[in-house]
mmCIF file of all heavy atoms in Angstrom:
data_model
loop_
_atom_site.group_PDB
_atom_site.id
_atom_site.type_symbol
_atom_site.label_atom_id
_atom_site.label_comp_id
_atom_site.label_asym_id
_atom_site.label_seq_id
_atom_site.Cartn_x
_atom_site.Cartn_y
_atom_site.Cartn_z
ATOM 1 N N TRP A 78 78.310 71.850 71.604
ATOM 2 C CA TRP A 78 77.130 71.307 72.282
ATOM 3 C C TRP A 78 77.412 69.956 72.911
ATOM 4 O O TRP A 78 76.777 68.968 72.577
ATOM 5 C CB TRP A 78 75.956 71.226 71.313
ATOM 6 C CG TRP A 78 75.540 72.568 70.835
ATOM 7 C CD1 TRP A 78 75.798 73.115 69.617
ATOM 8 C CD2 TRP A 78 74.802 73.556 71.569
ATOM 9 N NE1 TRP A 78 75.269 74.388 69.535
ATOM 10 C CE2 TRP A 78 74.661 74.682 70.725
ATOM 11 C CE3 TRP A 78 74.274 73.607 72.865
ATOM 12 C CZ2 TRP A 78 73.998 75.835 71.132
ATOM 13 C CZ3 TRP A 78 73.610 74.759 73.256
ATOM 14 C CH2 TRP A 78 73.475 75.853 72.400
ATOM 15 N N GLY A 82 70.834 71.633 77.756
ATOM 16 C CA GLY A 82 69.803 71.658 78.796
ATOM 17 C C GLY A 82 70.256 72.462 79.999
ATOM 18 O O GLY A 82 71.069 73.382 79.882
ATOM 19 N N THR A 83 69.723 72.125 81.158
ATOM 20 C CA THR A 83 70.064 72.824 82.391
ATOM 21 C C THR A 83 70.251 71.793 83.497
ATOM 22 O O THR A 83 70.145 70.597 83.255
ATOM 23 C CB THR A 83 68.944 73.790 82.818
ATOM 24 O OG1 THR A 83 67.785 73.028 83.108
ATOM 25 C CG2 THR A 83 68.623 74.799 81.742
ATOM 26 N N ALA A 85 68.261 71.074 85.709
ATOM 27 C CA ALA A 85 67.011 70.339 85.944
ATOM 28 C C ALA A 85 66.947 69.095 85.059
ATOM 29 O O ALA A 85 66.402 68.069 85.455
ATOM 30 C CB ALA A 85 65.815 71.244 85.673
ATOM 31 N N GLY A 86 67.502 69.197 83.874
ATOM 32 C CA GLY A 86 67.510 68.062 82.960
ATOM 33 C C GLY A 86 68.490 68.362 81.859
ATOM 34 O O GLY A 86 68.530 69.481 81.353
ATOM 35 N N ARG A 88 71.320 66.638 78.587
ATOM 36 C CA ARG A 88 71.700 65.541 77.711
ATOM 37 C C ARG A 88 73.163 65.776 77.373
ATOM 38 O O ARG A 88 73.540 66.840 76.903
ATOM 39 C CB ARG A 88 70.836 65.591 76.459
ATOM 40 C CG ARG A 88 70.934 64.379 75.570
ATOM 41 C CD ARG A 88 70.001 64.540 74.395
ATOM 42 N NE ARG A 88 70.271 65.821 73.738
ATOM 43 C CZ ARG A 88 69.354 66.518 73.070
ATOM 44 N NH1 ARG A 88 68.139 66.091 72.958
ATOM 45 N NH2 ARG A 88 69.685 67.661 72.510
ATOM 46 N N GLY A 104 57.234 66.713 90.091
ATOM 47 C CA GLY A 104 56.337 66.464 88.962
ATOM 48 C C GLY A 104 55.498 65.213 89.194
ATOM 49 O O GLY A 104 54.319 65.166 88.850
ATOM 50 N N HIS A 109 52.222 63.717 87.233
ATOM 51 C CA HIS A 109 52.683 63.296 85.911
ATOM 52 C C HIS A 109 53.700 62.179 86.043
ATOM 53 O O HIS A 109 54.706 62.327 86.741
ATOM 54 C CB HIS A 109 53.299 64.466 85.150
ATOM 55 C CG HIS A 109 53.870 64.071 83.809
ATOM 56 N ND1 HIS A 109 53.066 63.871 82.704
ATOM 57 C CD2 HIS A 109 55.129 63.813 83.412
ATOM 58 C CE1 HIS A 109 53.835 63.507 81.679
ATOM 59 N NE2 HIS A 109 55.093 63.465 82.080
ATOM 60 N N PRO A 111 56.664 60.511 84.416
ATOM 61 C CA PRO A 111 57.538 60.914 83.312
ATOM 62 C C PRO A 111 57.916 59.770 82.377
ATOM 63 O O PRO A 111 57.782 58.597 82.725
ATOM 64 C CB PRO A 111 58.774 61.464 84.032
ATOM 65 C CG PRO A 111 58.745 60.878 85.377
ATOM 66 C CD PRO A 111 57.327 60.563 85.718
ATOM 67 N N GLU A 112 58.394 60.161 81.234
ATOM 68 C CA GLU A 112 58.871 59.180 80.258
ATOM 69 C C GLU A 112 60.186 58.558 80.750
ATOM 70 O O GLU A 112 60.851 59.073 81.636
ATOM 71 C CB GLU A 112 59.121 59.865 78.909
ATOM 72 C CG GLU A 112 57.862 60.346 78.222
ATOM 73 C CD GLU A 112 56.965 59.204 77.790
ATOM 74 O OE1 GLU A 112 57.484 58.203 77.249
ATOM 75 O OE2 GLU A 112 55.744 59.294 78.003
ATOM 76 N N ALA A 115 63.643 60.653 81.245
ATOM 77 C CA ALA A 115 63.779 61.449 82.466
ATOM 78 C C ALA A 115 63.993 60.535 83.666
ATOM 79 O O ALA A 115 64.798 60.838 84.557
ATOM 80 C CB ALA A 115 62.540 62.315 82.669
ATOM 81 N N LYS A 164 66.207 76.334 112.948
ATOM 82 C CA LYS A 164 66.763 75.000 113.154
ATOM 83 C C LYS A 164 67.206 74.391 111.831
ATOM 84 O O LYS A 164 66.637 74.671 110.791
ATOM 85 C CB LYS A 164 65.707 74.115 113.796
ATOM 86 C CG LYS A 164 65.387 74.504 115.220
ATOM 87 C CD LYS A 164 64.975 73.272 115.991
ATOM 88 C CE LYS A 164 64.926 73.483 117.481
ATOM 89 N NZ LYS A 164 64.865 74.849 117.971
ATOM 90 N N TRP A 170 61.472 70.345 106.653
ATOM 91 C CA TRP A 170 60.065 70.742 106.692
ATOM 92 C C TRP A 170 59.681 71.450 105.402
ATOM 93 O O TRP A 170 58.631 71.194 104.824
ATOM 94 C CB TRP A 170 59.826 71.668 107.885
ATOM 95 C CG TRP A 170 59.689 70.940 109.177
ATOM 96 C CD1 TRP A 170 60.698 70.393 109.915
ATOM 97 C CD2 TRP A 170 58.480 70.654 109.887
ATOM 98 N NE1 TRP A 170 60.200 69.800 111.041
ATOM 99 C CE2 TRP A 170 58.835 69.948 111.050
ATOM 100 C CE3 TRP A 170 57.133 70.940 109.644
ATOM 101 C CZ2 TRP A 170 57.893 69.518 111.980
ATOM 102 C CZ3 TRP A 170 56.200 70.514 110.574
ATOM 103 C CH2 TRP A 170 56.576 69.812 111.723
ATOM 104 N N THR A 182 48.654 71.670 94.049
ATOM 105 C CA THR A 182 48.434 72.581 92.922
ATOM 106 C C THR A 182 48.661 71.915 91.572
ATOM 107 O O THR A 182 48.285 72.452 90.545
ATOM 108 C CB THR A 182 49.368 73.807 92.994
ATOM 109 O OG1 THR A 182 50.720 73.337 93.015
ATOM 110 C CG2 THR A 182 49.099 74.624 94.236
ATOM 111 N N GLY A 183 49.301 70.754 91.578
ATOM 112 C CA GLY A 183 49.583 70.104 90.301
ATOM 113 C C GLY A 183 50.647 70.841 89.496
ATOM 114 O O GLY A 183 50.684 70.746 88.278
ATOM 115 N N VAL A 185 54.943 71.828 89.368
ATOM 116 C CA VAL A 185 56.268 71.598 89.949
ATOM 117 C C VAL A 185 56.612 72.848 90.739
ATOM 118 O O VAL A 185 57.143 73.815 90.213
ATOM 119 C CB VAL A 185 57.311 71.339 88.839
ATOM 120 C CG1 VAL A 185 58.685 71.104 89.434
ATOM 121 C CG2 VAL A 185 56.894 70.142 88.003
ATOM 122 N N ILE A 189 59.194 77.342 90.678
ATOM 123 C CA ILE A 189 58.704 78.701 90.480
ATOM 124 C C ILE A 189 59.615 79.703 91.179
ATOM 125 O O ILE A 189 59.718 80.855 90.758
ATOM 126 C CB ILE A 189 57.260 78.807 91.004
ATOM 127 C CG1 ILE A 189 56.368 77.906 90.149
ATOM 128 C CG2 ILE A 189 56.749 80.226 90.989
ATOM 129 C CD1 ILE A 189 55.015 77.716 90.735
ATOM 130 N N VAL A 201 72.367 80.100 81.194
ATOM 131 C CA VAL A 201 72.417 79.313 79.971
ATOM 132 C C VAL A 201 71.419 79.822 78.930
ATOM 133 O O VAL A 201 71.681 79.794 77.735
ATOM 134 C CB VAL A 201 72.145 77.823 80.292
ATOM 135 C CG1 VAL A 201 72.194 76.976 79.042
ATOM 136 C CG2 VAL A 201 73.153 77.304 81.306
ATOM 137 N N GLY A 203 69.106 82.891 79.512
ATOM 138 C CA GLY A 203 68.672 84.294 79.594
ATOM 139 C C GLY A 203 68.038 84.512 80.955
ATOM 140 O O GLY A 203 67.179 83.735 81.363
ATOM 141 N N GLY A 205 66.321 87.164 82.684
ATOM 142 C CA GLY A 205 65.114 87.838 83.149
ATOM 143 C C GLY A 205 65.377 88.550 84.465
ATOM 144 O O GLY A 205 66.418 89.174 84.643
ATOM 145 N N PHE A 206 64.455 88.399 85.387
ATOM 146 C CA PHE A 206 64.647 89.019 86.692
ATOM 147 C C PHE A 206 65.139 88.027 87.724
ATOM 148 O O PHE A 206 65.104 88.301 88.915
ATOM 149 C CB PHE A 206 63.348 89.683 87.164
ATOM 150 C CG PHE A 206 63.108 90.999 86.498
ATOM 151 C CD1 PHE A 206 62.334 91.072 85.350
ATOM 152 C CD2 PHE A 206 63.689 92.159 86.976
ATOM 153 C CE1 PHE A 206 62.130 92.284 84.711
ATOM 154 C CE2 PHE A 206 63.496 93.371 86.346
ATOM 155 C CZ PHE A 206 62.708 93.436 85.208
ATOM 156 N N ASP B 204 58.092 73.662 119.285
ATOM 157 C CA ASP B 204 58.946 73.676 118.085
ATOM 158 C C ASP B 204 58.191 73.162 116.885
ATOM 159 O O ASP B 204 58.247 73.737 115.790
ATOM 160 C CB ASP B 204 60.187 72.810 118.309
ATOM 161 C CG ASP B 204 61.248 73.565 119.099
ATOM 162 O OD1 ASP B 204 61.011 74.762 119.368
ATOM 163 O OD2 ASP B 204 62.281 72.958 119.431
ATOM 164 N N MET B 208 57.290 75.239 113.595
ATOM 165 C CA MET B 208 57.765 74.796 112.286
ATOM 166 C C MET B 208 56.587 74.573 111.342
ATOM 167 O O MET B 208 56.613 74.970 110.183
ATOM 168 C CB MET B 208 58.526 73.477 112.488
ATOM 169 C CG MET B 208 59.558 73.218 111.452
ATOM 170 S SD MET B 208 60.850 74.459 111.484
ATOM 171 C CE MET B 208 61.999 73.704 112.588
ATOM 172 N N CYS B 212 55.912 76.582 107.914
ATOM 173 C CA CYS B 212 55.785 75.889 106.629
ATOM 174 C C CYS B 212 54.437 76.177 105.990
ATOM 175 O O CYS B 212 54.334 76.287 104.775
ATOM 176 C CB CYS B 212 55.964 74.389 106.817
ATOM 177 S SG CYS B 212 57.677 73.969 107.026
ATOM 178 N N GLY B 216 54.316 77.631 102.532
ATOM 179 C CA GLY B 216 53.616 76.787 101.566
ATOM 180 C C GLY B 216 52.460 77.518 100.919
ATOM 181 O O GLY B 216 52.224 77.400 99.720
ATOM 182 N N ALA B 223 52.172 79.218 92.617
ATOM 183 C CA ALA B 223 51.974 78.083 91.715
ATOM 184 C C ALA B 223 50.661 78.226 90.964
ATOM 185 O O ALA B 223 50.588 77.989 89.750
ATOM 186 C CB ALA B 223 51.997 76.779 92.502
ATOM 187 N N ARG B 227 49.719 79.414 86.465
ATOM 188 C CA ARG B 227 48.926 78.716 85.448
ATOM 189 C C ARG B 227 48.369 79.655 84.399
ATOM 190 O O ARG B 227 47.906 79.215 83.357
ATOM 191 C CB ARG B 227 47.750 78.008 86.112
ATOM 192 C CG ARG B 227 48.178 76.904 87.016
ATOM 193 C CD ARG B 227 47.077 75.869 87.064
ATOM 194 N NE ARG B 227 47.226 75.058 88.248
ATOM 195 C CZ ARG B 227 46.364 75.077 89.259
ATOM 196 N NH1 ARG B 227 45.299 75.842 89.200
ATOM 197 N NH2 ARG B 227 46.568 74.323 90.293
ATOM 198 N N LEU B 246 52.254 71.790 83.368
ATOM 199 C CA LEU B 246 53.000 72.389 84.477
ATOM 200 C C LEU B 246 53.424 71.356 85.513
ATOM 201 O O LEU B 246 54.297 71.605 86.326
ATOM 202 C CB LEU B 246 52.169 73.495 85.135
ATOM 203 C CG LEU B 246 51.999 74.735 84.265
ATOM 204 C CD1 LEU B 246 51.182 75.784 84.978
ATOM 205 C CD2 LEU B 246 53.347 75.322 83.854
ATOM 206 N N ALA B 247 52.794 70.190 85.484
ATOM 207 C CA ALA B 247 53.247 69.111 86.362
ATOM 208 C C ALA B 247 54.341 68.300 85.684
ATOM 209 O O ALA B 247 55.125 67.632 86.351
ATOM 210 C CB ALA B 247 52.079 68.200 86.724
ATOM 211 N N ALA B 248 54.385 68.360 84.363
ATOM 212 C CA ALA B 248 55.260 67.457 83.623
ATOM 213 C C ALA B 248 56.578 68.091 83.210
ATOM 214 O O ALA B 248 57.619 67.450 83.221
ATOM 215 C CB ALA B 248 54.529 66.947 82.387
ATOM 216 N N ILE B 250 59.953 69.851 83.268
ATOM 217 C CA ILE B 250 60.958 70.153 84.291
ATOM 218 C C ILE B 250 61.771 71.386 83.916
ATOM 219 O O ILE B 250 62.727 71.734 84.574
ATOM 220 C CB ILE B 250 61.896 68.962 84.535
ATOM 221 C CG1 ILE B 250 62.581 68.542 83.238
ATOM 222 C CG2 ILE B 250 61.129 67.797 85.140
ATOM 223 C CD1 ILE B 250 63.685 67.536 83.448
ATOM 224 N N ARG B 251 61.409 72.029 82.828
ATOM 225 C CA ARG B 251 62.042 73.297 82.431
ATOM 226 C C ARG B 251 63.522 73.103 82.099
ATOM 227 O O ARG B 251 64.372 73.877 82.527
ATOM 228 C CB ARG B 251 61.866 74.334 83.547
ATOM 229 C CG ARG B 251 60.390 74.571 83.840
ATOM 230 C CD ARG B 251 60.079 74.781 85.284
ATOM 231 N NE ARG B 251 58.657 74.528 85.529
ATOM 232 C CZ ARG B 251 57.831 75.417 86.051
ATOM 233 N NH1 ARG B 251 58.237 76.582 86.390
ATOM 234 N NH2 ARG B 251 56.575 75.102 86.238
ATOM 235 N N CYS B 252 63.800 72.050 81.358
ATOM 236 C CA CYS B 252 65.191 71.747 81.040
ATOM 237 C C CYS B 252 65.660 72.495 79.801
ATOM 238 O O CYS B 252 66.844 72.733 79.627
ATOM 239 C CB CYS B 252 65.359 70.251 80.828
ATOM 240 S SG CYS B 252 64.473 69.617 79.389
ATOM 241 N N ARG B 257 66.519 73.792 72.602
ATOM 242 C CA ARG B 257 67.796 73.555 71.943
ATOM 243 C C ARG B 257 67.623 72.824 70.616
ATOM 244 O O ARG B 257 68.368 73.058 69.671
ATOM 245 C CB ARG B 257 68.702 72.718 72.851
ATOM 246 C CG ARG B 257 69.248 73.493 74.019
ATOM 247 C CD ARG B 257 70.281 74.508 73.573
ATOM 248 N NE ARG B 257 70.778 75.282 74.707
ATOM 249 C CZ ARG B 257 70.685 76.599 74.797
ATOM 250 N NH1 ARG B 257 70.123 77.302 73.835
ATOM 251 N NH2 ARG B 257 71.162 77.227 75.846
ATOM 252 N N ASP B 258 66.662 71.920 70.566
ATOM 253 C CA ASP B 258 66.564 71.082 69.373
ATOM 254 C C ASP B 258 65.670 71.661 68.293
ATOM 255 O O ASP B 258 65.558 71.092 67.218
ATOM 256 C CB ASP B 258 66.099 69.676 69.761
ATOM 257 C CG ASP B 258 67.251 68.869 70.350
ATOM 258 O OD1 ASP B 258 68.328 69.469 70.544
ATOM 259 O OD2 ASP B 258 67.095 67.665 70.598
ATOM 260 N N LEU B 266 62.577 79.742 76.569
ATOM 261 C CA LEU B 266 62.116 79.489 77.927
ATOM 262 C C LEU B 266 61.686 80.813 78.544
ATOM 263 O O LEU B 266 62.399 81.808 78.425
ATOM 264 C CB LEU B 266 63.233 78.858 78.775
ATOM 265 C CG LEU B 266 63.694 77.453 78.382
ATOM 266 C CD1 LEU B 266 64.724 76.935 79.382
ATOM 267 C CD2 LEU B 266 62.524 76.485 78.293
ATOM 268 N N GLU B 268 61.298 83.790 80.821
ATOM 269 C CA GLU B 268 62.184 84.362 81.829
ATOM 270 C C GLU B 268 61.358 85.024 82.916
ATOM 271 O O GLU B 268 60.322 85.626 82.643
ATOM 272 C CB GLU B 268 63.134 85.375 81.185
ATOM 273 C CG GLU B 268 64.145 84.701 80.289
ATOM 274 C CD GLU B 268 65.018 85.689 79.536
ATOM 275 O OE1 GLU B 268 65.112 86.845 79.968
ATOM 276 O OE2 GLU B 268 65.601 85.274 78.523
ATOM 277 N N LEU B 269 61.844 84.918 84.123
ATOM 278 C CA LEU B 269 61.118 85.436 85.285
ATOM 279 C C LEU B 269 60.843 86.925 85.119
ATOM 280 O O LEU B 269 61.730 87.711 84.843
ATOM 281 C CB LEU B 269 61.936 85.206 86.560
ATOM 282 C CG LEU B 269 61.260 85.652 87.851
ATOM 283 C CD1 LEU B 269 60.102 84.726 88.168
ATOM 284 C CD2 LEU B 269 62.241 85.670 88.997
ATOM 285 N N GLY B 277 60.546 79.552 83.092
ATOM 286 C CA GLY B 277 61.360 78.430 82.639
ATOM 287 C C GLY B 277 60.657 77.474 81.699
ATOM 288 O O GLY B 277 61.268 76.539 81.200
ATOM 289 N N PRO B 301 62.461 64.950 77.599
ATOM 290 C CA PRO B 301 62.720 63.727 78.368
ATOM 291 C C PRO B 301 61.537 63.289 79.226
ATOM 292 O O PRO B 301 61.486 62.146 79.656
ATOM 293 C CB PRO B 301 63.901 64.116 79.257
ATOM 294 C CG PRO B 301 63.783 65.593 79.423
ATOM 295 C CD PRO B 301 63.156 66.112 78.161
ATOM 296 N N THR B 302 60.602 64.201 79.482
ATOM 297 C CA THR B 302 59.575 63.888 80.481
ATOM 298 C C THR B 302 58.235 63.478 79.892
ATOM 299 O O THR B 302 57.396 62.940 80.600
ATOM 300 C CB THR B 302 59.307 65.121 81.355
ATOM 301 O OG1 THR B 302 58.882 66.181 80.504
ATOM 302 C CG2 THR B 302 60.536 65.527 82.110
ATOM 303 N N GLY B 303 58.029 63.784 78.602
ATOM 304 C CA GLY B 303 56.701 63.549 78.049
ATOM 305 C C GLY B 303 55.776 64.734 78.242
ATOM 306 O O GLY B 303 54.577 64.626 78.014
#
Side-chain angles (χ1 to χ4, degrees):
Chain A
W78 296 104
T83 64
R88 191 178 53 209
H109 176 78
E112 292 294 316
K164 291 210 167 18
W170 280 77
T182 58
V185 180
I189 295 168
V201 180
F206 282 94
Chain B
D204 279 356
M208 206 63 91
C212 283
R227 294 208 200 113
L246 290 180
I250 57 170
R251 301 143 200 238
C252 65
R257 287 289 178 239
D258 282 6
L266 294 184
E268 291 175 20
L269 182 70
T302 59

